[in-house]
Amino acid sequence: MSEIVLMSDPKVAAIPVAECGEPLVDVRRTRALLVDARKQDPADTFAYLREGVLERLLKAQAVLPQGLRLLFVEGYRPPSLQREYFEEYASQLRAAHAEWSDERIHSAASRYVSPPDIAPHSAGAAVDLTLADAGGRELDLGTRMNADPEESGGACYTHAANISEEARVNRQLLGAALTAAGLVNYPTEWWHWSFGDRYWALVTGESAACYGPKETGPALPD
């Protein structure tokens, strides 16, 4: 797709889900990925992903140039937490743009937080991640992780022009490795990649998503 399709687009919600039943697994068990705890949630679910997504991350890391590592920041997000994030950001936009309609607020909010009913994170299908060197220090990718469009002046968009050449090269390295492993990017967030969810199905032309939202408590399967 050449144009940016937002998560709020009806085309995304129209994709059916054929849930495959694949389990959520703790990425920390592999000890192969660097894991950052900045998004750790009370239930400690942040480090879980569907098994097939984790397998693809390991494949992506294997093709990175020597000395570079994937730095995992957040995977699974309970639907209730996703809803909280979405409503919080929508409220910020509403306060800043009182003249905007509810539909425009919903669409604008989806640039940064997926609507709860279709959120890839809540399916265990999405991961927020960046690149680090061998010592675990983050590389420059143009903005901080999770910078919103207002804060970053749009530099959070994957193909933004207002970033340095170093950041552009690093984004290309990250994108090439993850794309080769079968993941797709949400183009308003350079750090957000997914596999098996509705957005992935839309981008790749698949007829259905294989991962749907999961309501999961603290005791997660591994």
Side-chain angles (χ1 to χ4, degrees):
M1 298 183 300
S2 56
E3 82 280 8
I4 291 179
V5 177
L6 295 177
M7 289 284 184
S8 59
D9 194 298
K11 292 195 291 287
V12 181
I15 299 289
V17 176
E19 173 60 54
C20 68
E22 193 175 279
L24 288 163
V25 294
D26 190 337
V27 305
R28 294 167 294 191
R29 293 290 179 89
T30 71
R31 301 187 182 277
L33 296 177
L34 295 174
V35 178
D36 188 293
R38 77 187 75 171
K39 294 292 287 184
Q40 187 168 15
D41 59 299
D44 197 36
T45 59
F46 82 103
Y48 282 78
L49 283 176
R50 295 289 189 135
E51 194 169 42
V53 183
L54 175 56
E55 290 172 358
R56 285 165 175 79
L57 289 187
L58 297 178
K59 289 178 182 178
Q61 179 161 271
V63 301
L64 286 173
Q66 187 173 4
L68 294 186
R69 301 280 303 278
L70 294 179
L71 178 62
F72 176 101
V73 175
E74 186 178 18
Y76 176 74
R77 190 182 295 158
S80 58
L81 185 58
Q82 182 71 30
R83 192 170 301 110
E84 179 184 325
Y85 286 169
F86 186 84
E87 292 175 355
E88 179 182 10
Y89 185 50
S91 294
Q92 292 175 13
L93 292 174
R94 195 172 290 111
H97 304 282
E99 74 282 7
W100 284 8
S101 66
D102 288 345
E103 181 179 1
R104 185 172 181 183
I105 292 291
H106 186 83
S107 177
S110 75
R111 297 170 304 162
Y112 181 58
V113 187
S114 300
D117 53 333
I118 55 92
H121 278 290
S122 295
V127 57
D128 292 342
L129 78 176
T130 186
L131 287 176
D133 63 20
R137 292 178 292 273
E138 288 185 50
L139 274 59
D140 176 14
L141 274 88
T143 72
R144 72 174 183 88
M145 169 81 66
N146 291 315
D148 63 44
E150 289 75 28
E151 170 193 334
S152 67
C156 59
Y157 281 51
T158 305
H159 298 293
N162 56 333
I163 60 174
S164 69
E165 182 59 25
E166 179 184 4
R168 183 171 295 105
V169 168
N170 288 336
R171 288 189 187 186
Q172 289 170 349
L173 287 172
L174 179 67
L178 293 167
T179 299
L183 284 86
V184 302
N185 173 242
Y186 189 42
T188 63
E189 300 176 337
W190 59 260
W191 56 85
H192 176 108
W193 292 79
S194 68
F195 172 86
D197 61 292
R198 285 167 159 165
Y199 198 83
W200 163 86
L202 180 69
V203 171
T204 60
E206 293 290 332
S207 60
C210 54
Y211 304 140
K214 291 178 71 70
E215 289 282 356
T216 309
L220 291 165
D222 54 28

